[in-house]
Amino acid sequence: MTGSGRHSSPPRRKHAAAKGPRIWPLLLSLVLVVVAVAGGLALHQSSDRAAGSDKTARSTPDIDLAARAAAVDQLLGKRAQAVLQDNQAAFLADVDAGNKSLVTRQRSLFANLRQFGFARLVYQQLGQQYDEAVTRKYGPSTYLVAIAMTYQIRGIDAVPVRAMLGYTFTERPDGRWMLVSDTDLDKRLPRGSHQEAWDTGAVLVKRAPRVLVVVEQGQDALANNLLGKASSAVKAVTKSWPGGWNGAGVVIALDDKIVRGADYTAPKNAEDAIAMATWVYRTLPGEVTGEGQRADSYVVINPRNRAKVDARTLAHEFTHVATAPYGAYAPRWLVEGAATYVEFLPMDGADNLALDKYRQEVRTKYLVKAKSLPADAVFFQQSDSSYPLSWLAVDYLFERFGGTEVGTLYQEMAALGSTQPERDRIMLEHVGMTEADLFKALKAAAV
């Protein structure tokens, strides 16, 4: 595309993780300490089982809690090893054979998990929950528990990462425990939980060096197309991001409209967004820090706008992947401006963009009307102007201070820039100006 054609339409990309910290820290902390809250979407206990209480008769009559914990740990361990060792029979051995839909889902889950190529896989109990309706359905030994899934995809995840799901178990007459449901907790888990790519229907996973693509089973042509674009995008970000990047790109392009943190049922997302970089956690929000410790991100493509994805789109999202480990506090103009900056640079397999022309267009069309850099609170509501102005600001910083300084600035802003005074301090330290000063400099440069 030409430069003017590419930039004339409203920006469509959003970093799904932008809203994540507002939901995950609160809800996950409730999982870990197992306390009750209002609202209906958080995990909860029965009223007579407050945290630390021994009043467990309502949900666990005559149950040896230590023996149950050990038995379920053993069951979870067997399932993880079954995936790693390609043993479907062992994976399904403790699934309720009378629940045909559960068996079908679990068989599909096993087939999906096998394709990802895990170097590590562990399931860990987090905390018991109580639901009277679920207990009535499955009986007095019902054990409803939140589960942390720790995994590492070989060649993709630099470190083990964690996701959440929920299982329901009951005790068999012979004392063994059995999985009877994998959906009872879904509506109470934090957003994105139990909505990983392997939790959907049958998928196809394809790989290239530092790239993994997930599509619906049978969509080989789409997978190959995305694999080529993603490979070009990985090379572009590796070359262009200050200090380089040695991570990997995961692209999920399923028919499902809700995958991980991406929700393409929301009207604006469904209409405008092409792809979202969704956070992947080294420690879940609430475990060590309120926001969680991010490892990187996986990119989820909007099924409605799948045909619009090109290598530049993926370079934008992979820049989010490269910067995800820095932290959650960088201002939105810097986050999206940096990703757009890399997206617009020359890259293999893509026509060079007319950036000089676009720079002048942004100045005359958007900068002249603006009164400040795009604010976090309204960034996406005013995306038509927010993205171009953010690109202009980052372009200016790269031109004046160089990539090394901008990369260092980004890292410190992401790690420490949780307040405006902190952001101003960091900006002054690295580039000798505050965000307000930067905006004035952009105005001056446009004269």
Side-chain angles (χ1 to χ4, degrees), residues 59-61 63 67-68 71-72 75 93-99 102 128 131 133-145 167-182 184:
S59 62
T60 56
I63 297 289
R68 180 185 67 187
V72 171
L75 184 158
D94 298 301
V95 176
D96 180 10
N99 187 335
L102 174 63
Q128 180 182 3
D131 186 294
V134 174
T135 300
R136 284 200 304 268
K137 181 177 181 179
Y138 296 112
S141 69
T142 297
Y143 180 43
L144 188 63
V145 62
Y167 281 156
T168 306
F169 299 97
T170 61
E171 189 178 25
R172 290 166 164 158
D174 62 4
R176 293 187 301 141
W177 287 83
M178 173 175 61
L179 176 66
V180 295
S181 175
D182 56 1
D184 291 328

Side-chain angles (χ1 to χ4, degrees), residues 8-248:
S8 60
S9 61
R12 293 92 60 194
R13 304 168 189 85
K14 299 183 182 128
H15 193 13
K19 297 180 182 179
R22 300 175 188 173
I23 300 173
W24 278 81
L26 173 61
L27 296 188
L28 186 57
S29 64
L30 298 179
V31 175
L32 298 175
V33 299
V34 199
V35 297
V37 299
L41 294 180
L43 294 168
H44 64 279
Q45 293 189 117
S46 61
S47 58
D48 62 351
R49 288 179 57 247
S53 169
D54 343 350
K55 297 180 180 178
T56 56
R58 182 175 181 182
S59 62
T60 56
D62 302 320
I63 297 289
D64 183 329
L65 301 186
R68 180 185 67 187
V72 171
D73 278 343
Q74 184 178 30
L75 184 158
L76 294 173
K78 183 168 70 173
R79 284 168 61 83
Q81 285 302 306
V83 173
L84 296 175
Q85 297 170 3
D86 194 17
N87 187 341
Q88 184 187 76
F91 187 81
L92 298 175
D94 298 301
V95 176
D96 180 10
N99 187 335
K100 301 304 181 184
S101 62
L102 174 63
V103 172
T104 298
R105 286 197 307 274
Q106 288 291 306
R107 184 176 288 113
S108 176
L109 172 62
F110 177 83
N112 287 347
L113 291 172
R114 280 294 305 164
Q115 293 187 69
F116 281 82
F118 293 107
R120 181 181 180 188
L121 180 60
V122 176
Y123 295 102
Q124 173 192 358
Q125 299 178 66
L126 292 180
Q128 180 182 3
Q129 305 304 309
Y130 178 77
D131 186 294
E132 188 173 352
V134 174
T135 300
R136 284 200 304 268
K137 181 177 181 179
Y138 296 112
S141 69
T142 297
Y143 180 43
L144 188 63
V145 62
I147 303 289
M149 174 183 176
T150 300
Y151 66 90
Q152 186 173 14
I153 302 173
R154 186 175 288 104
I156 298 297
D157 298 311
V159 298
V161 294
R162 284 162 76 79
M164 281 194 66
L165 59 148
Y167 281 156
T168 306
F169 299 97
T170 61
E171 189 178 25
R172 290 166 164 158
D174 62 4
R176 293 187 301 141
W177 287 83
M178 173 175 61
L179 176 66
V180 295
S181 175
D182 56 1
T183 59
D184 291 328
L185 270 182
D186 284 0
K187 292 183 179 180
R188 305 181 188 183
L189 294 173
R191 186 184 65 177
S193 302
H194 210 187
Q195 293 172 338
E196 301 289 341
W198 47 75
D199 291 318
T200 64
V203 302
L204 170 67
V205 178
K206 288 209 170 188
R207 286 175 172 264
R210 297 175 59 193
V211 173
L212 184 145
V213 170
V214 188
V215 299
E216 304 288 339
Q217 192 173 84
Q219 293 187 346
D220 295 69
L222 174 62
N224 291 331
N225 179 276
L226 290 174
L227 211 59
K229 293 173 180 176
S231 295
S232 294
V234 164
K235 291 177 184 176
V237 178
T238 300
K239 174 183 175 182
S240 301
W241 187 247
W245 172 57
N246 61 3

Side-chain angles (χ1 to χ4, degrees), residues 390-427:
S390 298
W391 170 83
L392 188 68
V394 173
D395 177 65
Y396 176 89
L397 291 175
F398 267 90
E399 179 68 25
R400 180 168 174 184
F401 300 100
T404 300
E405 195 63 62
V406 175
T408 305
L409 169 68
Y410 192 124
Q411 290 186 52
E412 192 163 342
M413 289 282 263
L416 302 173
S418 58
T419 66
Q420 192 59 53
E422 276 296 290
R423 290 179 176 181
D424 288 341
R425 178 193 65 77
I426 296 166
M427 288 281 292

